[in-house]
Structures are given as C-alpha cells and as structure tokens.
Amino acid sequence: MMFRWIGYLLCATALFACNTASNVRQTVIVDSVSIVDNIPGYDVNQYPYVLTLADWTFHEDEFESSWADTPYVGIYKQGKKMYLDTTRIYAHPVRDELRDFFRDGHIKSAWRVTASKKEPSIVLMPVTVTMKRGEMEYVDLTEEETQCLPGDSVQFMFHDKKYTLKAQLIAKQLHAEPNYQLSIHYEKDDEQHTQVLINDFTYEECNRIYFAGDIDNDALPDFLINTSNVFNTTVLTLYLSSAAEGKDLLKVMGMLLSSVN
C-alpha cells in the first residue's frame, strides 16, 4: 500500500543532536483495538517518535501543527543506495475531501505536509543522537518478500548474523479463528530467540515491510512495517533495535496513522 502512496538537527560533527522532548507524542490517534492488541509490547508512553510523510495529506486528528516547522531526518533511496538526510517539515491547512465536503467552503481541517528536501522519502522521523547522515546498510528485499503473506518465510544475513521473518496464521484454540502473526527469529547473547512483531485478530493482506536496515547505527536490523489490518488505513510502525530490552531484538519507537492522501 505504501509503495503505491510513496512516502534528526545535524551537528557540525555529522552526529544528530537529541531533540526528543519536543517531539514526544502526548496523544495517541489510533484505534485501541486494532493497534494495542496487534503489536506485542505496545506502550503509548514509550514510543516518542512522531513519524510523518512528505507530500501527504492527513485528517485533522492524525497530525498536530506543533509537529511542523521542525528538523526531521528522512530515509531516502538513490538507485541501489539508501541514505539518511535532514530536512524540515511544514504543514498547511487544506480542505479534507471527506470531512469538509458538507462544511462551509472556507473550512480547511486537513493538513498537507511538505518538506524542504524535495526528493521522495520513505518516512520522516524526529532528531535522535544515534543516527548519522549519509549512506546506511539495508536489506534488499524483493517485492514478494515485503508482502508478509501467511506461510511466507524470509531469511537474510545482516552483519554475518542470520535473521528469519515468518508470517503465519495461528489458532490459539480448537475451531477458533486463527490470528495472523509476523515474527522474527534471531540470535542474541549466543541463544536463539523469537520475537512476535504483529499478533493480529484479523488479516486483510495489508501488512507490508517498507524498510529493513540499520537506521540507528548499531549493526542490527531495524524495520518500518505497515501494521494496519484495514485496507484504507496505513499504520506505519517503526521498530528500532537500539531501544530493545532484555532478549528482544526490537522495540516500537514510532507510529503513524493515515487514511488520507
């Protein structure tokens, strides 16, 4: 879905400065059932990154104007290379084709987000200290491998370690409707582990991996995955390895909900 829609302040030392306090999300604009239940380890108070897209229109309850006119970092692709670069984002009020249709013609409740860097980006994220501007390592997944269909199993090597993504339907009880699960299998501290990334009560073929690679510069893979279970809604979810705790490989650190473009 995102493929069809395509879409941290830099110090002099080329290290991104920390600016998390101003970007901590105070409200959550997501459906509690579809999001809380389908992402294990989800905690509204522990994913401080406000993700956004450039050249994108959001409903009024999907974007806050205070997030705009601030430094962000974007994931960009140039040929076979993926890189991080800084930009600034801006938000302009525009008519919402759905919600403003029967309202006064002067009402503009939606937000059109643009960026100072005009190249198309996969996602825009706030400033953090762990990311460096420039080329980054990534996993070159095929279109088929990004689809996360039930029964799919994708193996890849990253810094000489093997990782396996598995998508499957699992019935927790006899004769019950099966849950959709997306899990990653990996080695950590010389032991094999499995972490469930999505555990959804339904499946409508809209989960997709948009990026797999080292966003936070720690030699471990990070992911951007659409965790939505509704066709007309994108829930772009950021999993970062540098924030993971215990035996986990990843932790949800950002989320974006959008049903408009």
Side-chain angles (χ1 to χ4, degrees):
M1 184 183 303
M2 175 89 167
F3 286 111
R4 180 171 59 85
W5 292 345
I6 302 278
Y8 285 19
L9 185 48
L10 184 64
C11 293
T13 60
L15 189 67
F16 290 100
C18 184
N19 188 27
T20 56
S22 63
N23 286 306
V24 172
R25 193 175 217 160
Q26 301 298 328
T27 58
V28 182
I29 314 167
V30 293
D31 181 280
S32 60
V33 174
S34 65
I35 301 305
V36 175
D37 288 355
N38 77 341
I39 302 179
Y42 169 95
D43 187 334
V44 57
N45 297 312
Q46 295 186 37
Y47 74 95
Y49 301 166
V50 177
L51 308 183
T52 192
L53 303 171
D55 298 320
W56 199 264
T57 301
F58 295 90
H59 288 307
E60 58 185 325
D61 57 355
E62 295 175 347
F63 189 89
E64 296 182 12
S65 58
S66 61
W67 300 343
D69 195 20
T70 55
Y72 270 61
V73 62
I75 297 179
Y76 298 89
K77 186 172 184 179
Q78 185 178 55
K80 282 289 187 179
K81 295 182 179 180
M82 302 288 288
Y83 68 98
L84 292 173
D85 200 3
T86 49
T87 186
R88 296 186 75 85
I89 65 168
Y90 308 98
H92 314 277
V94 295
R95 292 277 293 176
D96 189 320
E97 295 181 1
L98 296 176
R99 300 183 181 182
D100 294 340
F101 186 80
F102 294 105
R103 297 179 179 179
D104 182 276
H106 297 288
I107 294 178
K108 298 180 178 180
S109 67
W111 293 100
R112 183 70 180 178
V113 175
T114 59
S116 58
K117 183 176 174 66
K118 299 307 180 183
E119 287 83 349
S121 58
I122 294 175
V123 72
L124 300 175
M125 304 169 287
V127 173
T128 76
V129 297
T130 60
M131 306 184 185
K132 293 183 178 180
R133 182 184 184 188
E135 187 175 349
M136 59 181 174
E137 296 176 281
Y138 72 101
V139 182
D140 190 13
L141 299 175
T142 66
E143 173 75 11
E144 183 179 3
E145 290 172 331
T146 67
Q147 293 177 357
C148 306
L149 298 175
D152 284 355
S153 180
V154 179
Q155 290 187 359
F156 63 90
M157 299 294 295
F158 200 78
H159 281 265
D160 298 323
K161 291 185 178 181
K162 184 174 73 172
Y163 299 88
T164 304
L165 287 164
K166 290 185 178 180
Q168 53 191 327
L169 296 177
I170 298 177
K172 295 184 177 181
Q173 297 179 353
L174 188 64
H175 304 305
E177 287 294 324
N179 274 25
Y180 170 84
Q181 281 192 0
L182 178 67
S183 58
I184 186 165
H185 303 256
Y186 56 95
E187 179 184 306
K188 189 172 185 179
D189 300 328
D190 297 322
E191 296 180 359
Q192 294 296 321
H193 299 282
T194 298
Q195 182 178 358
V196 177
L197 305 181
I198 303 174
N199 182 37
D200 209 336
F201 61 90
T202 186
Y203 178 74
E204 294 191 19
E205 298 187 7
C206 50
N207 299 129
R208 182 181 289 274
I209 299 172
Y210 297 127
F211 176 83
D214 192 4
I215 298 174
D216 51 15
N217 198 38
D218 64 355
L220 296 172
D222 309 298
F223 295 87
L224 281 164
I225 302 175
N226 181 17
T227 58
S228 173
N229 55 25
V230 181
F231 266 116
N232 65 348
T233 300
T234 294
V235 182
L236 188 59
T237 305
L238 173 66
Y239 296 83
L240 290 183
S241 55
S242 59
E245 301 171 346
K247 300 299 184 181
D248 286 348
L249 175 69
L250 301 160
K251 183 175 181 178
V252 176
M253 292 300 290
M255 191 177 292
L256 174 151
L257 170 71
S258 178
S259 56
V260 180
N261 187 20

